[in-house]
Amino acid sequence: MEQQKIIVNALPVKTWHRLDVNEAKTIAYTPTAACTVQAESEQGTTQISAVSKVEPEQSVETGVGAALTPVFQWGMQIAAASNTTDTVRMTIQNAPQAESSLQVLVNAAGGSHLTIVQNWEGQANHAAVRTILHVAANATVHLIQVLADNSADSWNDVGCVAAEKGSIELTRLYLTKGNLTSGVRADLIGDGSSFTSHSGYLVQQNRTLDMNVIVNHIGKKTMSDITAEGTVQNHAAKIFRGTIDLRTGCSGSEGKENETVLLLGDDVVNKTIPLILCSEEDVKGSHGASIGELPQDILFYFASRGIEKETAEKIISRAKLETLCQGLDEKTADLLQKTIDEVIPT
C-alpha cells in the first residue's frame, strides 16, 4: 500500500509548471514522541513552559503549510514581558529512532527585545519543529536556528506575525545530514513592521533541501530582506522559493531577495524561484540570483598558492556559512562556528 503524501512548501500562486517547483510532496507521518527540550532564559525575564500535550496552533499560517499541522501534538510556550531584553537558548533533541515533533509558541509583548537560539540535533526516523512568532508593537524577535540533526527526513516550519513597528529577524544554518523541508511565512500586518531572513546551507551526499520563504506586506511602509547563500554538491538537490507579496494598501513598502549558490559537480540539481507579487503602486520590489561553479580565476589563485581544488572548494563553502556569524553574540557565534567545523573540517 502506497503511503499517503501531503503538499508542503507551496507557492502562493502557481508558476513555471514545467519546472515542477510550485509545491513539494512529502510522506505524512504520525508522531510517537515529543522532542526533548532544554531551554534557559539568560536574563530570567522570559517565561518558558514545559513541553506538554497541546492542540496545534492554527491562528498563524506557516511556510511549510497547514497540511503538516496534525503532526504537532506536543508543544511549549515562550513569553517575553513588555519592555524587556532577553536571550533564550534552546537545545532541541529528536527522539532516537522515533517519529518526533515539537511546536514552539512565542509571544513577544510590546517593546520587548527577544533573541531565541534553537540548536536542533539528534537522530529520528522523522522529526518536525514548528515555531510561531507573535511580535507585538515595537517588539523585536531574532530567531537563530542551527539545524544539524541526523534524521532521515525532517521539517522546520516557521510562521510570523508582526504588529506596528514590530521587527522579525531570522538567521538559519542548514547542515542536516538527511532530507530537510523548511518553510517560513511572515505577515507584516502593522505599519512600519519589518522582516529579514539570512540563510546559509550545505547540501551534499544525495540529500535534498527544499526551502520556502513567503513575506506578505500588508501594513504601510513595511520592509523585507531575504538572502540565502550556500553550496550544493555530491549528487545533492536544493530548491529555494522566495515570494514577496506587496499587497493593496501597503504603500511605501519595500521587499528584496537574493540568493547565491555554489554548484560543485555536474550531478547536482538547483532550482531557484524568486517571485514578486504586486497589487500596490507605491512600492519597491527586487530580486536576484547568482548560480554557478567556482570561476577559473579563483581556482588559479588558489593553485598558485599550492592549494588543491578540493581544498579551495571547502574554503569557499566554509566562508559562505561563516558570514552568518557576523553580528551575533560570542556564545551564539561560537555555536555556529563549532557546527560548521564539524561538517567542514579545516
Side-chain angles (χ1 to χ4, degrees):
M1 181 178 178
E2 185 178 357
Q3 290 180 286
Q4 179 186 1
K5 290 188 176 181
I6 57 176
I7 294 175
V8 295
N9 272 8
L11 287 171
V13 297
K14 294 185 180 300
T15 182
W16 295 107
H17 180 72
R18 62 184 176 84
L19 295 179
D20 193 26
V21 296
N22 288 310
E23 61 196 24
K25 292 183 179 179
T26 187
I27 296 174
Y29 79 98
T30 302
T32 58
C35 298
T36 302
V37 181
Q38 292 180 336
E40 181 180 1
S41 165
E42 288 192 343
Q43 284 71 38
T45 59
T46 301
Q47 294 183 350
I48 304 172
S49 70
V51 175
S52 61
K53 197 80 171 179
V54 297
E55 289 293 328
E57 171 67 27
Q58 301 186 58
S59 64
V60 176
E61 295 189 56
T62 62
V64 174
L68 197 65
T69 296
V71 168
F72 300 102
Q73 300 179 13
W74 296 272
M76 59 183 296
Q77 295 189 30
I78 297 173
S82 300
N83 302 313
T84 58
T85 300
D86 201 354
T87 297
V88 174
R89 300 188 184 276
M90 306 174 61
T91 298
I92 301 173
Q93 189 83 25
N94 296 330
Q97 306 303 319
E99 320 284 329
S100 59
S101 70
L102 178 72
Q103 173 182 278
V104 182
L105 179 59
V106 180
N107 288 289
S112 62
H113 302 279
L114 178 64
T115 298
I116 301 175
V117 183
Q118 293 180 341
N119 183 22
W120 189 10
E121 57 187 28
Q123 183 170 353
N125 297 327
H126 300 92
V129 174
R130 171 176 284 178
T131 306
I132 303 292
L133 306 179
H134 291 271
V135 182
N138 298 299
T140 64
V141 173
H142 187 184
L143 175 63
I144 302 166
Q145 296 183 315
V146 181
L147 301 142
D149 70 299
N150 293 315
S151 300
D153 293 283
S154 55
W155 294 262
N156 177 49
D157 195 17
V158 177
C160 321
V161 175
E164 183 177 0
K165 294 183 180 179
S167 175
I168 300 169
E169 181 176 0
L170 264 62
T171 301
R172 296 179 296 167
L173 176 62
Y174 297 105
L175 294 174
T176 53
K177 308 302 191 303
N179 301 314
L180 174 63
T181 301
S182 178
V184 177
R185 170 169 166 159
D187 289 342
L188 304 178
I189 61 175
D191 294 350
S193 56
S194 64
F195 171 83
T196 59
S197 173
H198 309 290
S199 301
Y201 55 83
L202 172 65
V203 195
Q204 56 182 340
Q205 298 173 351
N206 300 292
R207 300 306 186 185
T208 298
L209 171 62
D210 192 299
M211 305 168 63
N212 189 33
V213 181
I214 302 170
V215 184
N216 296 313
H217 291 260
I218 301 170
K220 301 180 186 299
K221 296 183 179 180
T222 54
M223 186 280 294
S224 68
D225 187 0
I226 304 168
T227 60
E229 186 170 16
T231 303
V232 186
Q233 65 181 35
N234 298 342
H235 311 280
K238 188 235 74 191
I239 302 95
F240 175 77
R241 304 173 186 84
T243 302
I244 296 172
D245 191 351
L246 297 157
R247 298 186 177 183
T248 301
C250 73
S251 59
S253 296
E254 180 177 1
K256 55 184 178 179
E257 58 179 314
N258 187 73
E259 186 184 25
T260 304
V261 190
L262 176 61
L263 306 178
L264 301 180
D266 297 328
D267 51 358
V268 297
V269 176
N270 178 77
K271 297 179 181 179
T272 299
I273 306 95
L275 179 63
I276 293 181
L277 307 174
C278 185
S279 55
E280 175 63 52
E281 293 185 1
D282 181 23
V283 293
K284 295 179 181 179
S286 62
H287 61 71
S290 175
I291 304 166
E293 301 177 348
L294 280 178
Q296 289 299 316
D297 58 338
I298 293 181
L299 290 174
F300 178 79
Y301 174 86
F302 281 106
S304 66
R305 285 155 178 77
I307 300 174
E308 298 179 351
K309 179 181 178 181
E310 183 178 344
T311 303
E313 292 173 345
K314 285 185 178 181
I315 292 173
I316 299 299
S317 296
R318 283 178 59 92
K320 288 180 175 294
L321 299 175
E322 288 172 342
T323 59
L324 293 177
C325 299
Q326 299 174 5
L328 302 180
D329 66 90
E330 183 177 356
K331 188 173 182 179
T332 304
D334 286 347
L335 171 63
L336 268 66
Q337 189 64 61
K338 179 183 176 182
T339 306
I340 294 170
D341 290 342
E342 291 174 352
V343 177
I344 314 177
T346 54

